[in-house]
């Protein structure tokens, strides 16, 4: 009987509440209702713990752009805090060594910073919700699926902490999350190789480049160059990467230009890959023949990212950048248009504009637009540096000019170690007689020192052709090739034949 009376009491209470709610709606003016709601909210808040909240949206306001703090927070949580979470989301990027964890929606995890316990919660953002309210951010009608563009609600992270530690969280903890995420990105990020797309009307910044995973194996230890030059280049690169404050103090953009020149097959492309691997930079391979205008070239420049190498290979073959003092001004435009690709020429005709010019390239390398993205290397390669305009080669544009010539005895020793396992300590293959190998190496080094010209690429091809035959057979074949080149009569090469070969 007591249970029946209790349930009847509950029913009476609910009926009273409904009557009171209806009376408020019917008899109270809207202003009084709002006042009562605010009063009840404040009374309820007085009995709750004093908690501060920070909302970190996935999309940056109405623009829909990516919020770097959201990405950094998810990366930090995945590495530091999700061991105590009941549920995690796993994602494995292509070429990444292991999956990456993130916090799913409507789940919570905790972190401790300097003895202060904070709570992270992932929540979906309700469409149409106000950015200042507790439920969501500004909905972007032009990006209804959030930043990913592939469906689902945009997301946010909610960081809660004791209000008395507000200064610690705002002033130190947020920066701690950003710094730790930056370190983790540098250790595990997937580096990319970008190439510019052929220009078309309506292209935006997100479509200027296409990318693939960059996994070139070249390193400074495998470069077939003189060890002194190799160590000098490596020291120069590491000094550049560590001098951000120095560049800001002297008033210069944080960039550096390199001109790599020498005959074909001397390792210019391998050196570019070794530079990117040493500094852990992305690579932007810029094909100038597909760039229709100077303004499009500037768009390509500002759409690159920091920690990148912008490479223009065989720049003397891409555009007419020869010395302006040695050519007639009337034929300049014709020379430029004659080397533009058909796709770029069609785009220029459609837009009614001319091709990029020497002035556009100079501004690209060292103009005001070149300072928009910091910590960047500009690398140009050419087989004929004498064909380039001196204005392109001055310091500030090309800070270092590195000549990669024919193979020398020190470079041969690097190649022999890489391909044959022949080093100062002997030969890795027990089937090869050490004395015979040493004698053949001495013969080959003597021929190179005597002036026989052969590129590292040619020597590598000789060694690749003897793969599995042993170091003795490979070095004997190399010595025979060097003697053949020494004894071969010199054949004069015409300018037309040289251009055809290139």
């Amino acid at each position: 009987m007591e249970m029946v009376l209790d349930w009847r009491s509950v029913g009476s209470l609910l009926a009273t509440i409904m009557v009171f709610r209806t009376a408020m709606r019917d008899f109270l003016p809207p202003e009084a209702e709002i006042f009562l709601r605010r009063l009840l909210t404040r009374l309820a808040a007085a009995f709750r713990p004093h908690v501060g909240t920070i909302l970190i949206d996935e999309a940056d306001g109405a623009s829909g752009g990516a919020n770097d703090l959201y990405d950094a927070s998810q990366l930090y949580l995945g590495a530091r805090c999700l061991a105590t979470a009941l549920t995690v989301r796993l994602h494995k990027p292509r070429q990444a060594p292991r999956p990456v964890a993130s916090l799913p929606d409507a789940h919570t995890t905790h972190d401790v910073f300097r003895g202060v316990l904070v709570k992270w919660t992932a929540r979906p953002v309700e469409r149409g919700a106000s950015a200042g309210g507790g439920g969501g951010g500004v909905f972007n009608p032009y990006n209804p699926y959030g930043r990913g563009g592939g469906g689902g609600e945009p997301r946010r992270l909610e960081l809660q902490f004791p209000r008395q530690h507000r200064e610690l969280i705002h002033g130190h903890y947020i920066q701690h999350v950003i710094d730790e995420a930056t370190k983790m990105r540098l250790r595990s990020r997937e580096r990319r190789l970008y190439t510019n797309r052929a220009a078309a009307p309506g292209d935006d910044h997100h479509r200027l480049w296409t990318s693939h995973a960059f996994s070139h194996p070249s390193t400074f230890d495998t470069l077939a160059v003189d060890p002194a030059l190799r160590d000098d280049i490596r020291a120069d690169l590491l000094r550049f990467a560590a001098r951000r404050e120095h560049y800001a103090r002297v008033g210069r953009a944080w960039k550096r230009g390199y001109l790599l020149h020498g005959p074909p097959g001397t390792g210019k492309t391998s050196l570019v890959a070794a530079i990117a691997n040493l500094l852990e930079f992305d690579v932007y391979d810029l094909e100038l023949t597909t760039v229709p205008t100077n303004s499009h070239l500037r768009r390509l420049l500002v759409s690159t990212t920091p920690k990148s190498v912008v490479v223009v290979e065989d720049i003397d073959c891409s555009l007419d950048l020869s010395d302006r003092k040695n050519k007639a001004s009337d034929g300049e435009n014709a020379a430029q248009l004659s080397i533009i690709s058909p796709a770029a020429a069609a785009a220029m005709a459609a837009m009614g504009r001319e091709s990029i010019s020497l002035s556009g390239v100079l501004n690209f390398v060292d103009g005001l637009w070149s300072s928009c993205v910091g910590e960047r290397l500009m690398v140009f390669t050419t087989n004929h540096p004498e064909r380039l305009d001196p204005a392109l080669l001055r310091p500030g544009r090309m800070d270092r000019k590195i000549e990669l010539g024919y193979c020398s005895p020190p470079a041969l020793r690097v190649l022999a170690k890489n391909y044959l396992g022949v080093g100062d300590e002997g030969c890795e293959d027990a089937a090869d007689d050490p004395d015979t190998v040493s004698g053949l190496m001495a013969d080959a080094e003597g021929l190179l020192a005597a002036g026989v010209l052969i590129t590292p690429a040619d020597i590598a091809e000789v060694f690749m052709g003897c793969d599995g035959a042993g170091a003795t057979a490979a070095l004997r074949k190399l010595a025979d090739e060097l003697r053949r080149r020494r004894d071969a009569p010199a054949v004069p090469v015409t300018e037309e034949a040289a251009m055809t070969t290139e």
Side-chain angles (χ1 to χ4, degrees):
M1 189 63 182
E2 294 181 358
M3 181 64 68
V4 174
L5 292 176
D6 290 342
W7 280 112
R8 287 177 179 178
S9 301
V10 171
S12 300
L13 178 62
L14 291 177
T16 303
I17 293 174
M18 294 301 297
V19 171
F20 179 73
R21 183 170 177 269
T22 304
M24 286 183 59
R25 287 188 173 182
D26 294 342
F27 299 104
L28 284 179
E31 293 80 4
E33 183 181 354
I34 294 175
F35 174 77
L36 287 176
R37 288 180 180 275
R38 290 180 177 175
L39 179 61
L40 291 175
T41 301
R42 291 181 179 178
L43 289 175
F47 292 97
R48 289 200 303 261
H50 296 285
V51 176
T53 303
I54 297 176
L55 302 179
I56 305 172
D57 290 324
E58 181 183 21
D60 185 14
S63 65
N67 185 354
D68 290 341
L69 180 56
Y70 178 89
D71 295 336
S73 301
Q74 281 284 23
L75 184 60
Y76 174 83
L77 293 176
R80 295 296 181 90
C81 308
L82 296 188
T84 60
L86 298 178
T87 306
V88 298
R89 177 188 288 114
L90 291 180
H91 169 66
K92 184 181 182 301
R94 183 178 298 177
Q95 304 293 334
R98 59 183 63 88
V100 178
S102 61
L103 190 63
D105 294 339
H107 285 75
T108 297
T109 188
H110 296 82
D111 188 24
V112 177
F113 179 72
R114 298 185 183 178
V116 177
L117 179 67
V118 300
K119 183 173 74 171
W120 289 90
T121 304
R123 302 186 186 278
V125 179
E126 297 180 3
R127 300 192 179 194
S130 171
V138 177
F139 171 62
N140 181 9
Y142 298 101
N143 188 16
Y145 299 112
R147 182 168 61 89
E153 298 285 351
R155 299 185 297 271
R156 73 165 32 152
L157 289 172
E158 182 180 281
L159 171 62
Q160 293 183 327
F161 52 89
R163 194 176 300 174
Q164 64 268 26
H165 298 293
R166 176 186 178 90
E167 295 298 329
L168 175 67
I169 300 301
H170 282 261
H172 300 280
Y173 181 65
I174 295 297
Q175 189 60 46
H176 167 73
V177 170
I178 295 174
D179 293 341
E180 290 298 316
T182 301
K183 295 177 183 177
M184 286 184 279
R185 281 197 191 101
L186 292 178
R187 290 194 298 264
S188 62
R189 75 185 184 104
E190 179 186 46
R191 291 184 296 118
R192 309 293 293 178
L193 170 63
Y194 296 86
T195 184
N196 55 305
R197 299 172 60 254
D203 279 351
D204 56 21
H205 288 282
H206 299 289
R207 301 182 62 196
L208 294 177
W209 301 92
T210 59
S211 68
H212 302 276
F214 180 75
S215 58
H216 199 290
S218 178
T219 66
F220 271 81
D221 293 332
T222 62
L223 284 178
V225 297
D226 185 84
L229 175 62
R230 177 194 62 199
D231 295 341
D232 182 51
I233 297 173
R234 177 161 43 195
D236 185 74
L237 290 167
L238 295 177
R239 183 167 55 250
F240 160 78
R243 302 187 74 185
R244 177 177 184 174
E245 292 78 9
H246 172 77
Y247 278 84
R249 184 172 64 253
V250 300
R252 292 187 58 178
W254 193 15
K255 65 181 183 61
R256 191 158 177 80
Y258 289 85
L259 177 69
L260 311 182
H261 62 94
T266 52
K268 295 184 288 294
T269 301
S270 296
L271 178 56
V272 171
I275 290 173
N277 287 330
L278 174 69
L279 300 180
E280 296 186 342
F281 280 11
D282 294 324
V283 179
Y284 287 84
D285 183 15
L286 178 59
E287 179 56 57
L288 288 178
T289 58
T290 64
V291 181
T293 63
N294 291 333
S295 61
H296 191 83
L297 184 62
R298 287 194 296 269
R299 290 179 60 199
L300 287 167
L301 176 66
V302 299
S303 63
T304 59
T305 59
K307 292 187 177 295
S308 60
V309 184
V310 180
V311 184
V312 181
E313 294 194 279
D314 297 320
I315 188 172
D316 57 300
C317 300
S318 300
L319 292 174
D320 183 15
L321 301 179
S322 57
D323 191 348
R324 288 167 290 183
K325 298 179 181 179
N326 298 330
K327 66 181 179 182
S329 59
D330 294 339
E332 180 176 355
N333 292 334
Q336 289 184 6
L337 293 176
S338 63
I339 56 178
I340 296 297
S341 65
M348 289 187 304
M351 290 183 285
R353 300 175 182 173
E354 296 182 353
S355 66
I356 60 176
S357 61
L358 174 61
S359 175
V361 175
L362 296 180
N363 289 328
F364 171 81
V365 176
D366 192 37
L368 292 175
W369 289 92
S370 67
S371 61
C372 295
V373 181
E375 196 173 7
R376 178 176 54 201
L377 295 175
M378 294 274 191
V379 179
F380 289 176
T381 71
T382 179
N383 298 332
H384 302 282
E386 69 279 358
R387 296 180 182 174
L388 301 179
D389 193 285
L392 184 65
L393 305 180
R394 72 162 176 80
R397 291 180 177 138
M398 293 294 105
D399 301 289
R400 285 206 58 175
K401 304 168 187 64
I402 301 173
E403 181 179 5
L404 300 176
Y406 291 100
C407 191
S408 62
L412 174 60
R413 288 192 285 270
V414 175
L415 289 170
K417 182 177 181 180
N418 293 340
Y419 286 89
L420 308 177
V422 176
D424 296 335
E425 63 281 358
C427 184
E428 294 181 357
D429 193 346
D432 293 309
D433 180 57
D435 295 334
T436 303
V437 170
S438 300
L440 291 172
M441 278 291 295
D443 291 343
E445 291 178 6
L447 291 168
L448 293 176
V452 178
L453 301 181
I454 187 171
T455 65
D458 291 332
I459 295 180
E461 186 60 29
V462 171
F463 289 164
M464 289 289 289
C466 298
D467 187 25
T472 302
L475 290 173
R476 184 172 288 114
K477 184 176 180 180
L478 174 62
D480 293 340
E481 174 64 19
L482 293 174
R483 294 189 188 95
R484 185 191 66 79
R485 295 192 177 212
R486 180 195 61 185
D487 300 334
V491 178
V493 180
T494 63
E495 181 70 16
E496 181 179 359
M499 292 295 291
T500 302
T501 303
E502 292 175 10

